[in-house]
Amino acid sequence: MDLPHVDQKQSHGKRVLFVYLVRHAESSNNSRDLHDQRGAPSAASSTNGTTSSGGDALSSTKRRKTEADGVQVQHGDAPTKSSREPDPCLTSRGRKQAVAVARLLQRIREDPATDPRHRPQQLYTSGFCRALETSKPMVELLKLDPQLQSDLHEEGGVFEGPRRSSHVVDYPKRYGFSAAEMRKVLPSIIGTESVPEKGWWVGGQETEEESAKRARRCSEWLWKLVEKTDSSADTAEAGAVVCVTHGLFMDRLIKALSGLQPDLGSVLFMSFNCAYWLVQLRIDPQAPDQRKAVMACCNVVDHVPMSIRTGHSICGISHCQPSYDLGE
């Protein structure tokens, strides 16, 4: 596994942390082409006329009833049945994707040629079922204790009905998993002490403004982790951080880490199911730009076989990157 080489010698005061941002595996919503949409145009299109899950492109604002789909409410209509699940779990294909990315991370950590700072040593996950289930093979193969970081959750939180419905207040509130329910998926999960008995989510739907604010907060949390990195410590002990998160929020978080406004709409960062971004976060108190975020690897998905690969749909744009055997 060839990853960007970085000089391991750090001068006094410099700190470096590598972060793997991993999008969760395919959920039951994704399998029905119900990827979360943000401000999508009237029709979700792609360059090849298919959705990221391989079906025909359908309207993102109003979904017709099919054998595999319920009726999605159009903005401005009265609440009707929606096939979107508030907190979906993984599909059988998604579980295979989760194993694929876990095996990749295991290879990275066990390869003697790997820069020690690239080796996963900490694992954080959101409280959504699909993120917890994606983390499970990582826990088993990497022997890491997963840590709950609720700020990694998907834009909107846990909510009934379609995203951005004008009638969202008419839907019952959902609160997500309790700590006990999280432990059923990840028995060794830590950081759940403050999770209310009714669930980790506050109820209702998070606004886009609140999501952008949370992306800035999550970015600062990662920078604080860099500050806590001991530049004088053995690099083998430092290791990398893995964050299992979600597509829409990854777009905002990557922008925040890059110094862009998280709500910037003219740039989109797509992430396929179980793809990863390797972000190198550098702090140098002596440099003109004391903080520097290096996108070392972007939306890497080669570890997921084409037979189980699924892409991403965001703002009405869908794509799934194929692999090409170029030979020698």
Side-chain angles (χ1 to χ4, degrees):
M1 179 57 56
D2 294 329
L3 291 173
H5 174 74
V6 178
D7 186 2
Q8 294 187 18
K9 295 181 179 180
Q10 299 184 42
S11 61
H12 180 70
K14 294 182 180 179
R15 286 170 169 76
V16 178
L17 180 67
F18 289 85
V19 179
Y20 294 91
L21 298 178
V22 179
R23 185 186 173 207
H24 65 81
E26 182 192 61
S27 73
S28 54
N29 279 349
N30 299 154
S31 69
R32 294 194 297 272
D33 194 36
L34 290 177
H35 292 268
D36 286 331
Q37 297 289 320
R38 180 198 304 139
S42 58
S45 61
S46 69
T47 56
N48 60 7
T50 60
T51 67
S52 58
S53 294
D56 293 335
L58 295 175
S59 167
S60 64
T61 57
K62 188 172 185 179
R63 183 173 302 279
R64 296 180 179 87
K65 188 173 183 179
T66 67
E67 291 181 358
D69 226 346
V71 177
Q72 184 100 323
V73 66
Q74 184 175 13
H75 290 200
D77 290 349
T80 58
K81 179 184 176 182
S82 169
S83 59
R84 180 192 172 279
E85 299 176 44
D87 193 3
C89 296
L90 298 185
T91 62
S92 58
R93 178 164 55 186
R95 288 191 289 274
K96 293 176 183 177
Q97 294 171 347
V99 171
V101 71
R103 286 175 175 169
L104 171 74
L105 293 173
Q106 181 186 35
R107 286 179 57 194
I108 291 173
R109 194 168 78 168
E110 295 179 354
D111 187 346
T114 298
D115 183 325
R117 293 172 299 170
H118 289 161
R119 295 172 181 163
Q121 294 288 358
Q122 298 181 67
L123 172 61
Y124 293 92
T125 177
S126 84
F128 272 106
C129 179
R130 56 195 184 273
L132 298 170
E133 290 187 340
T134 300
S135 300
K136 187 174 182 180
M138 299 182 195
V139 172
E140 295 170 349
L141 294 179
L142 299 174
K143 309 301 180 185
L144 297 176
D145 288 330
Q147 303 179 60
L148 175 66
Q149 173 47 277
S150 295
D151 269 352
L152 291 171
H153 73 78
E154 181 57 303
E155 181 178 306
V158 186
F159 60 92
E160 287 275 5
R163 184 174 296 277
R164 307 298 166 226
S165 169
S166 60
H167 292 279
V168 68
V169 294
D170 296 327
Y171 290 96
K173 289 186 176 182
R174 303 301 180 194
Y175 301 95
F177 278 6
S178 65
E181 290 170 320
M182 292 182 191
R183 286 193 292 271
K184 289 181 180 179
V185 182
L186 297 176
S188 61
I189 191 169
I190 58 179
T192 61
E193 298 81 7
S194 61
V195 175
E197 186 174 346
K198 66 180 180 180
W200 65 270
W201 179 237
V202 296
Q205 187 174 164
E206 177 188 53
T207 66
E208 293 189 37
E209 293 75 17
E210 290 169 336
S211 179
K213 182 178 180 180
R214 177 167 54 86
R216 297 186 187 95
R217 185 169 68 238
C218 199
S219 172
E220 282 303 309
W221 164 69
L222 287 171
W223 283 113
K224 292 296 182 184
L225 291 183
V226 183
E227 292 176 1
K228 293 178 181 178
T229 301
D230 187 352
S231 60
S232 63
D234 187 329
T235 54
E237 295 179 359
V241 170
V242 179
C243 294
V244 180
T245 181
H246 304 260
L248 287 183
F249 185 67
M250 282 180 70
D251 170 62
R252 294 198 188 279
L253 179 57
I254 291 167
K255 289 172 183 173
L257 288 170
S258 303
L260 302 174
Q261 292 299 322
D263 53 0
L264 180 66
S266 59
V267 177
L268 297 174
F269 296 110
M270 300 182 78
S271 302
F272 303 159
N273 291 120
C274 278
Y276 75 86
W277 293 64
L278 179 61
V279 185
Q280 180 188 157
L281 299 179
R282 305 179 65 91
I283 294 179
D284 183 356
Q286 307 304 318
D289 296 318
Q290 295 186 6
R291 288 180 173 184
K292 183 174 294 185
V294 181
M295 303 299 155
C297 299
C298 306
N299 194 28
V300 179
V301 74
D302 289 335
H303 52 281
V304 179
M306 274 302 304
S307 60
I308 59 170
R309 188 175 301 177
T310 49
H312 196 192
S313 179
I314 182 173
C315 290
I317 302 169
S318 299
H319 184 59
C320 185
Q321 179 63 42
S323 289
Y324 300 97
D325 184 5
L326 300 179
E328 294 295 333

